[in-house]
């Protein structure tokens, strides 16, 4: 079976690596010249809105998915009218606008931080009076890894933030002094069956995920699964869905969803019975889902900006190296490592030297 | 780093899948049109003795290895005179001739079955009188998966066996009524460091490996490691070496070596800390070796001739599907599945239905 993927970055690369053993082949559509998934399949180098390229893409595959969630509704609709696209265009676009996304959560009874749509400086001032400070001003669309955001701590910062971001529709969100951040990775098959990975504890710095550690018997597991199920069923979702939460007052507060395999699930390649990548493909290809149980303990550390020499990483016990074939560049995700151990205590002992080494090179 | 692989079958395919995360890229040389590793790298489609193609191969890679052990000494020498080739031509050829292989084992003090070189029907009769029956007549070169062999049970069978095989140099081996067959997978780095996987219990049928199960604390582990170390050090070996043994009278008796990753180590993808494929590449690329410890319990079942529908395999708990993208054909290895579990008892319970399903389709 030939799988088409919109986007050919590291997520596409890891999907392909998971897919070959299932006899799946891959076609990627991506405008980038340095598309790190390209060596693992055919690469149609074109914009996501290039109808000629999209047509070529559709005729050359059996079923399509995406690894880049900012594919436009039009392009997704174009593909979905020709071949099966999983998740659907409606699922893809549900998280593209932060305001609509929060409205969806609210309709489904999922708690969200207080927020307001912002379309003028006056509106921003008014929302700040209602929500209080600190607060976070975000573009409604296209933000990722902390881009398109401004944390507002005093009234004096409003005008500069509006100057920087105000050319686009915005949302102001109450700043959540969270205890921790977690994500729930869920996968839903074409027949509606769902499976859930253990909640993942995520640590960000400068808006970029640094470490992700699956938790064991997290007291919020059931709540996370419940919320992910509500969203997935509402959207008749097929594939892996990532749902990011803040934990505040011991409860989950929805942050955002990503309609795709997710950085906080990379540990699952070694750390779960069936990885998020394989499970996404199983769902997309109409196969039964794989197990989401942990295999021992594991943790993922991102390689941001630059990475230690592979020989230094590979020398550390329990380390699994995943480089993406990308040119190092400040703030760029160029790889990750997963540390595995039999037990959580052993994991923490192995993890510390890995983090120290990785931090020496991160940029 | 660009790795060149002579051969582009399933072993090359699994090497590439293990190599991408280490930022390795692949060039394969193989005469086959349906070369199942080809989609994972560049494919130079040419014979292994085509000097023009070998030259192209050498200039396009940094270091070379092979997945097909019957590459000729000349071709291996041609490559090794231009770029690093691991294992070396001497290591490659050490196992190509069954007689020389046994002589090597004997020089190293490794027990072997009684045997004799055969070059005439009269010589065969004489050897049978010495070794007794049953005995196994084998071609000295190019045999695999039980091909090029005849089991002799009575004097009346000698002439027919000679007729069938006698056009090539032969070896007669005492038939070993073995208790079990095991293999020792070892890996040796460029600096001489060695690691060993747990001994694997192998079950063959019709000369083809059917199941391979790594053993836990096998009483023969140390003996297997010792023998593998003697051979690897003698050959200044770099990479994964597979050493197959008979167990008779509770001791190891050398059967044969394979200078490459081996079917009896496929379980290591999920079942060991670092797979045989990654460890081979680490050795070839000059990286530190990865851990060879077991992760829980695991077993491998080959898919021979044909395979159950992937949906049926994928539905079984603990099953990891590895299809090779090969056209089904009687006696052909077209894939394998690995079954993983936390403990050995659980493994056996999960393994039984897998074997039943696989046997229904095997041909």
């Amino acid at each position: 079976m030939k799988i088409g993927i919109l986007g050919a970055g590291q997520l596409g690369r890891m999907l392909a690596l998971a897919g070959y053993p299932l006899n799946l082949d891959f076609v990627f559509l991506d405008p980038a010249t340095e598309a790190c998934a390209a060596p693992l399949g055919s690469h149609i180098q074109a914009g996501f809105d290039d109808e000629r390229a999209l047509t070529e893409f559709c005729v050359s595959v059996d079923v399509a998915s995406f690894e880049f969630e900012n594919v436009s509704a039009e392009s997704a609709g174009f593909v979905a009218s020709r071949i099966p696209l999983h998740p659907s265009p409606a699922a893809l676009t549900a998280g593209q606008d932060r305001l609509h996304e929060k409205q969806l959560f609210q309709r489904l009874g999922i708690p969200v931080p207080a927020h307001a749509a912002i379309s003028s400086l006056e509106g921003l001032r008014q929302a700040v009076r209602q929500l209080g400070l600190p607060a976070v001003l975000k573009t409604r669309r296209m933000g990722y890894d902390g881009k398109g955001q401004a944390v507002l701590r005093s009234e004096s910062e409003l005008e500069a933030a509006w100057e920087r971001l105000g050319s686009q529709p915005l949302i102001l969100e109450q700043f959540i002094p969270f205890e921790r951040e977690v994500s729930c990775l869920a996968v839903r098959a074409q027949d509606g069956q769902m499976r859930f990975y253990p909640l993942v504890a995520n640590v960000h710095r400068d808006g970029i995920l640094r470490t992700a550690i699956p938790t064991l018997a997290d007291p919020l597991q059931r709540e996370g699964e419940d919320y992910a199920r509500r969203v997935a069923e509402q959207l008749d979702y097929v594939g892996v869905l990532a749902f990011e939460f803040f934990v505040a007052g011991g409860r989950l507060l929805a942050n955002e969803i990503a309609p795709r395999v997710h950085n906080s699930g990379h540990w699952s390649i070694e750390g779960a019975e069936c990885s998020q990548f394989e499970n996404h493909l199983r769902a997309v290809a109409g196969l039964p889902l794989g197990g989401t149980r942990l295999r021992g303990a594991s943790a993922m550390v991102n390689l941001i900006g630059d990475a230690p020499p592979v020989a230094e990483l590979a020398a550390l016990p329990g380390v699994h190296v995943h480089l993406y074939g990308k040119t190092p560049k400040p703030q760029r995700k160029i790889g990750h490592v997963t540390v595995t151990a039999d037990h959580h205590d052993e994991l923490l002992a192995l993890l510390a030297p890995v983090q120290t080494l990785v931090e020496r090179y991160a940029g």
Side-chain angles (χ1 to χ4, degrees), chain A residues 116-133 135 137 152 154-163 170 172:
Chain A
I118 304 295
S119 53
S120 69
L121 178 56
E122 185 41 42
L124 174 59
R125 292 193 204 283
Q126 207 176 324
V128 163
R129 280 193 293 275
Q130 275 175 6
L131 301 183
L133 289 178
L137 188 64
L152 307 177
S154 78
E155 300 254 348
S156 65
E157 292 171 350
L158 269 55
E159 208 164 317
W162 172 257
E163 283 299 315
L170 302 176
L172 186 72

Side-chain angles (χ1 to χ4, degrees), chain A residues 11 161 185 246-248 279 344:
Chain A
L11 302 179
L185 291 152
F246 303 117
V247 178
N279 252 334
H344 193 71

